[in-house]
Amino acid sequence: DTTVQVWDPAAEEPTIVARLHNQHPVDQIVWSPPGQLLAGFGDEHISIWDLNATGSPANPITLKHPGVFAMEWSQDGRRLISKGEESVRAWEITAEHTTTALIDLPTNRWSDRVAWNPDGAWLAVGQPSGAIEVWNLTESSPNASPLRLSHPGMSNIAWAPNGTRLVSAGETHLRLWNLSTDVGFANPIDLPYPSQIWSTIDILAWS
């Protein structure tokens, strides 16, 4: 279907508050954390609607990403990551509804270990080879270079709540980097797993 319906669950009776029309089918939708922007993808296109627009929501912002199969907003709702069959892309959406492509990283479908830091300024992308690229999106440009880290057997990555530390899970240990110092990146701390852990760690969570 090419129409997205937005409902108000707080109303006494179910109420449709917006019908969003699109030129392409919509397979999945994701709200930005502030709840203002709604992104949907399908048929190799991404559509972004502003639900706070005056009157009926305006025509969506339309982006193209062949093979897109997943999306994730940064916590501030200003940036969107899209994952495709052959690339990972990051987009910045301004209040004026203009978009900027921040990165376009060639990869494959299984490189889906992607993590925003809490303020949306840094993006970590894990590769099947164990390579981890950390992009500073406040300074990104088409020729920008990421910080390159390595953790063989890496299965997942996660940022600390303060956004200064990154942890990755490997086959035998966790690896912890401190973003706040150059030394922290050059000399990560390895934390071996207890002997009773035998399987791959798929979920990481900070307190």
Side-chain angles (χ1 to χ4, degrees):
D1 197 347
T2 60
T3 301
V4 176
Q5 296 184 153
V6 181
W7 296 74
D8 180 5
E12 292 184 3
E13 296 184 3
T15 304
I16 297 175
V17 296
R19 286 185 173 88
L20 310 177
H21 301 287
N22 198 34
Q23 294 181 348
H24 307 280
V26 179
D27 298 330
Q28 182 178 324
I29 54 176
V30 183
W31 285 101
S32 66
Q36 175 182 351
L37 300 177
L38 179 66
F41 71 80
D43 194 24
E44 300 191 344
H45 289 80
I46 299 168
S47 300
I48 302 173
W49 292 271
D50 184 352
L51 274 295
N52 285 358
T54 303
S56 299
N59 292 331
I61 301 167
T62 301
L63 309 170
K64 187 172 178 60
H65 189 174
V68 60
F69 64 89
M71 298 181 301
E72 183 180 341
W73 288 95
S74 61
Q75 291 187 26
D76 60 5
R78 294 177 50 234
R79 299 183 175 99
L80 178 72
I81 187 79
S82 57
K83 307 172 189 177
E85 298 285 352
E86 298 181 354
S87 66
V88 171
R89 297 180 180 178
W91 315 84
E92 184 164 33
I93 297 90
T94 69
E96 293 75 26
H97 298 168
T98 61
T99 60
T100 301
L102 300 173
I103 63 169
D104 186 353
L105 178 65
T107 183
N108 62 55
R109 184 179 180 90
W110 307 112
S111 300
D112 61 351
R113 304 307 182 185
V114 177
W116 290 105
N117 84 327
D119 65 8
W122 293 84
L123 177 69
V125 180
Q127 302 284 350
S129 64
I132 302 170
E133 296 187 347
V134 181
W135 296 81
N136 182 350
L137 298 186
T138 61
E139 301 175 357
S140 193
S141 69
N143 297 317
S145 296
L147 297 169
R148 300 184 189 278
L149 313 175
S150 179
H151 189 174
M154 182 274 305
S155 60
N156 212 337
I157 50 179
W159 290 94
N162 65 7
T164 64
R165 290 178 292 173
L166 178 71
V167 66
S168 59
E171 295 177 350
T172 61
H173 60 277
L174 298 176
R175 182 162 287 179
L176 179 66
W177 285 274
N178 188 344
L179 239 76
S180 63
T181 67
D182 292 338
V183 174
F185 265 112
N187 299 283
I189 299 172
D190 286 347
L191 305 173
Y193 297 148
S195 58
Q196 62 267 31
I197 295 181
W198 298 101
S199 60
T200 300
I201 292 182
D202 293 321
I203 299 173
L204 288 172
W206 288 85
S207 65

